[in-house]
Amino acid sequence: MRKLTFAMNTSLDGYIAAPGDDLGWSGGDGPDSSSSDELFQWWSDRVDATGLALYGRKLWETMSSHWPTADQQPGAAPAAIEYAGRWRDMPKVVFSSTIDKVDWNTRLVTGDAVAEIARLRAEDGGPMDIGGATLAGAAMRAGLVDEYALVTVPVLVGGGTPFFTALDSWVNLNLVETRTFPGGVVLTRYETRR
């Protein structure tokens, strides 16, 4: 069975995007030059270790609009070049009923997301990451998320897209790691108690 992790940058008040889908507070569309080198490397190593990434449409559109060619931009930093290559090579599944084409080692699923996530999780293989509030929320409600990795940025955005969705019942967690990055960014990882 694969392990499913929901990992995202989040504001201190619990949002993965500010109103208007603004990600400027978090370092943009994922790790970039405004993030610390150490944090950027953590995200890059995470992508390198991911056996399969699961994306909702909005996060897919954000990531795929930048990372496929980020290493070809003039003056691209070595870390961005490494991340872009790792991102392109990482197997990905995008869940959407509104797009009809995906690229860069990616498969599109238009049917029942929860059933497909459960099927993929039951397979043998490397760890899976899930990203995107709507998709991760559906997996949370179905009890499929094994780990939560919150990269908390010390900013209050006051609203937007929450990291956690409304649940029907409590989910008990065990803290497995904390780490502080430059700028006061704190990683906390929790495993779901089963």
Side-chain angles (χ1 to χ4, degrees), residues 38-159:
E38 186 181 342
L39 179 58
F40 189 102
Q41 191 62 55
W42 182 85
W43 278 113
S44 185
D45 292 345
R46 183 162 191 84
V47 166
D48 193 44
T50 298
L52 182 64
L54 311 178
Y55 285 106
R57 178 194 52 83
K58 284 173 69 174
L59 184 59
W60 166 253
E61 288 175 344
T62 298
M63 297 296 284
S64 67
S65 71
H66 178 72
W67 288 111
T69 59
D71 55 345
Q72 300 164 20
Q73 301 305 313
I81 293 169
E82 175 186 69
Y83 185 92
R86 287 176 168 181
W87 187 86
R88 276 192 310 268
D89 292 345
M90 176 181 59
K92 297 170 279 298
V93 176
V94 174
F95 295 85
S96 176
S97 60
T98 60
I99 59 176
D100 57 11
K101 184 178 185 283
V102 292
D103 293 311
W104 307 289
N105 202 20
T106 306
R107 177 173 66 89
L108 179 64
V109 173
T110 58
D112 183 338
V114 170
E116 181 64 6
I117 293 166
R119 186 189 72 74
L120 291 167
R121 188 172 164 267
E123 292 179 344
D124 289 332
M128 297 189 309
D129 269 14
I130 189 167
T134 302
L135 183 64
M140 278 186 238
R141 285 188 301 278
L144 297 174
V145 178
D146 300 298
E147 181 180 312
Y148 298 88
L150 291 83
V151 177
T152 305
V153 177
V155 62
L156 302 173
V157 299

Side-chain angles (χ1 to χ4, degrees), residues 7-11 15-16 25-28 30-31 39 43 151-153 163:
M8 296 281 294
N9 288 343
T10 182
S11 64
Y15 296 96
I16 60 175
W25 58 270
S26 70
L39 179 58
W43 278 113
V151 177
T152 305
V153 177
F163 183 95

